[in-house]
Amino acid sequence: MSRPDSALFAAGHGFYQFAITRASFDRSLYYNLLLQPSLAIPDHYFLQGRWLGDHLAEYPSRDSWIEIGLRNGFVTPYFRREGSSLSELLALMEGSDRRGFSAEAQRIAERIDRTPFTASYWSSLDNSALFGAALTSYLGAEQAPMLETGLDPDDFIGFWNRSRAWIGQELAIALERSSSLLGSEGILLSQLIQVSGERLLGGDRGRIENISELLSQVKSQVGATAERDLRLYYTCACELYNRSLANTILTAGNSPRWEPFVAAMDLWRNNLLSGEADAGGAVDHPDELIDVSIRLPRPAHLRSVSGDVLLAIRRSPACERYFEALSHWRRTPTDQMLRDELVDSLRRYSGEIMKHVGNEVGVLGFRPHFISKVSDLGGIVEKVPGVVQGFLAVGATAGAAAADTSSPLIPAGLFSLFCLQVAAKYVSPSEKAKVLISRRLGVRMRADITVSHR
C-alpha cells in the first residue's frame, strides 16, 4: 500500500551513516515527525547503522518518537515479506548476505515487534532492479553531470574523470554477483561495497560489512585521494538508492546531505522527468518562492521530550489545520489563497509545538525543578559562555556567603532568579527555521525535511 503523502526517512539509511552524523539524524527524525503527514521506514533502515538504535535507547520506557509514530499510524514500516515480524526479516536478510546491521539489531527488532503497527509491503527485487538501472545510467554516462551552481568544492569532476578507468567493470561485476543472489537483475549495495574493496584492497580482504569500514581501510592502506573518491562514489550510490526506494514504495524522497554534486543528481533526474512531461503536454507555471520564518525546538532538546508529547502535538487542532491546509495546497500548488492559508497555519502550528515542548523541558530546555540553594545552579552555569560563567560564579559565591549569615532562602532564591534571567539570554531550547514554499520545491526546511507538493 502506497502513501502519496508520506516521505522516506532517508537519514535512517544505515549504509549512508558514513556521511550522516547523529545530530543530522536527530534533526531529520524529529522535524520530519513534526512536519510530515507520514514518515516511511523500510525494514532494513530499522536495523542497519547505529543511530536508530541510539534513538530508541534514549527512551527506555518505549515511548520513543518512532514507537509513538508506529502505534498511531504516522510512521509506516515497509516490510519485504508480508506477515513476517521484524525479527524474522532480520534472519532472512542475514541469511541472504545483506550487510551493515547494527550490533543491537536483534534487540531493536524485538523491541519494534512489541509495538503494535500495520506494515505495508515493498518489493526488494523491484527496488534492486530500479537502483541498478539508475546507478548504471548515472555513473556509467560518458560525460559528467552539469553542476548547476558551477561550484565543485568536493572535486566531483576530478572523481568523475578518474573513475572512468574502473567504473564500468565495477558496476558490471556488482550487477552479476547481485543478480545471482537475487535470482533477477539488479544491484545490491552489500555486493557493490565488496567489489570496491576487492578493487582497492585486493581480493583476499574478506567480507566487508559496511561503507564506513571500507572507507577506513582504504584511507589507511591506499591513501587520502582514494578515500575521498570512494566517499563521493558512495554518496552518489546512497542518494540514488534512497531515490529508487522512494519510487519503489511510491513516497516522496529527500536528501540528508546536500552538496553541489548531489544537486546535480536531481538536475539530471529532473531533466529526464521534464522530457516526459513535455511529451504529455504539461503546462508550466512560474515558480514563485515564499520564505517563511518560524521557531522550532532544537533537536538536542527534543531528545528529552517523550513521544507522548509528540502525540499531543499531532492531535492538537493547530496540527490538524496545518495538515488540512497542506493537503489542499498540494492539490493546487499554484493557488495563492491556499498557499497563504498554509503559511498562516504553519506559523500557528509552530507556536503550538513550542508551547507543548516548553511545558515539557522548561524555558531553558531543562526539565523544571525547584532550586533551593545556590549550589543547584552549577548545571546552569556550565551551559553559558565562559565570561558569563565567571560573572555568575562570583555572584553565586556572594550569595552563598550571604546565605551563611542570614536566611538561606531569600538571597539564594533572589540570586537564582537573577541567574536564570542572565542564562536565558545564552541558552535557548529553540532555533529559527527558514521554510521555503514553492510549486517546484514543495515545503522545504532542509533537503531532508521536504514535504513534497506531489
Side-chain angles (χ1 to χ4, degrees), residues 173-184:
I173 295 173
L175 177 64
E176 179 182 2
R177 292 186 185 179
S178 301
S179 300
S180 177
L181 281 173
L182 292 166
S184 61

Side-chain angles (χ1 to χ4, degrees), residues 28-43:
S28 188
L29 176 65
Y30 290 124
Y31 287 169
N32 273 306
L33 284 175
L34 288 169
L35 299 175
Q36 296 279 5
S38 175
L39 203 58
I41 306 182
D43 42 23

Side-chain angles (χ1 to χ4, degrees), residues 373-375 377 381 389-416 418-419:
K373 54 186 181 295
V374 175
S375 59
L377 293 170
V381 172
Q389 284 185 17
F391 171 69
L392 295 181
V394 171
T397 302
D404 288 337
T405 59
S406 60
S407 168
L409 294 178
I410 295 177
L414 289 175
F415 188 72
S416 297
F418 174 69
C419 284

Side-chain angles (χ1 to χ4, degrees), residues 95-417:
S96 54
D97 200 22
R98 304 304 198 270
R99 306 180 187 184
F101 296 108
S102 163
E104 301 294 320
Q106 185 61 49
R107 180 187 61 79
I108 293 169
E110 292 171 354
R111 176 166 169 170
I112 295 297
D113 285 339
R114 295 196 297 273
T115 304
F117 58 80
T118 301
S120 293
Y121 169 75
W122 74 287
S123 172
S124 176
L125 292 178
D126 288 351
N127 184 64
S128 295
L130 194 61
F131 169 60
L135 189 67
T136 303
S137 175
Y138 186 72
L139 291 178
E142 291 184 8
Q143 292 186 336
M146 182 178 68
L147 300 179
E148 186 176 15
T149 62
L151 301 175
D152 188 16
D154 303 288
D155 190 27
F156 179 72
I157 300 302
F159 152 73
W160 187 276
N161 293 332
R162 289 187 292 272
S163 67
R164 297 309 91 186
W166 51 263
I167 191 68
Q169 182 179 15
E170 181 149 324
L171 293 176
I173 295 173
L175 177 64
E176 179 182 2
R177 292 186 185 179
S178 301
S179 300
S180 177
L181 281 173
L182 292 166
S184 61
E185 189 168 286
I187 289 181
L188 296 167
L189 269 173
S190 57
Q191 295 304 307
L192 188 65
I193 63 173
Q194 187 69 38
V195 175
S196 295
E198 292 171 5
R199 169 175 60 85
L200 290 162
L201 302 169
D204 59 346
R205 303 306 298 183
R207 179 185 174 94
I208 299 174
E209 282 294 329
N210 55 60
I211 298 170
S212 297
E213 175 189 328
L214 175 61
L215 288 168
S216 177
Q217 292 184 26
V218 168
K219 186 174 183 178
S220 63
Q221 299 178 39
V222 183
T225 299
E227 189 266 347
R228 284 196 302 271
D229 282 355
L230 198 65
R231 187 173 292 272
L232 289 168
Y233 178 33
Y234 277 99
T235 297
C236 289
C238 289
E239 289 284 348
L240 286 169
Y241 184 90
N242 281 338
R243 287 157 174 75
S244 300
L245 185 49
N247 288 339
T248 297
I249 62 179
L250 301 179
T251 61
N254 53 48
S255 174
R257 186 162 181 255
W258 196 248
E259 308 292 345
F261 69 92
V262 174
M265 186 180 301
D266 279 337
L267 184 64
W268 167 78
R269 178 177 178 271
N270 290 338
N271 287 339
L272 294 180
L273 294 178
S274 65
E276 296 173 2
D278 291 342
V283 178
D284 196 16
H285 296 273
D287 191 36
E288 184 180 3
L289 187 66
I290 303 298
D291 184 340
V292 182
S293 292
I294 60 175
R295 294 203 72 84
L296 289 173
R298 294 182 185 276
H301 291 294
L302 290 175
R303 282 193 191 182
S304 63
V305 177
S306 77
D308 295 332
V309 175
L310 170 65
L311 185 59
I313 293 171
R314 300 268 311 196
R315 288 178 172 175
S316 68
C319 181
E320 291 178 2
R321 285 193 293 270
Y322 161 67
F323 285 134
E324 287 170 5
L326 178 64
S327 177
H328 288 298
W329 175 80
R330 291 172 80 174
R331 286 196 289 267
T332 315
T334 57
D335 189 306
Q336 184 174 346
M337 183 188 71
L338 295 179
R339 185 199 63 202
D340 291 344
E341 288 182 0
L342 173 59
V343 170
D344 290 341
S345 67
L346 175 60
R347 285 177 171 147
R348 287 196 297 270
Y349 177 45
S350 66
E352 187 74 12
I353 293 170
M354 291 298 300
K355 183 180 73 174
H356 279 275
V357 173
N359 291 338
E360 175 79 358
V361 302
V363 67
L364 295 177
F366 308 116
R367 293 186 183 277
H369 61 278
F370 179 70
I371 301 176
S372 60
K373 54 186 181 295
V374 175
S375 59
D376 290 342
L377 293 170
I380 294 177
V381 172
E382 291 175 359
K383 299 287 185 178
V384 298
V387 173
V388 181
Q389 284 185 17
F391 171 69
L392 295 181
V394 171
T397 302
D404 288 337
T405 59
S406 60
S407 168
L409 294 178
I410 295 177
L414 289 175
F415 188 72
S416 297
L417 179 59

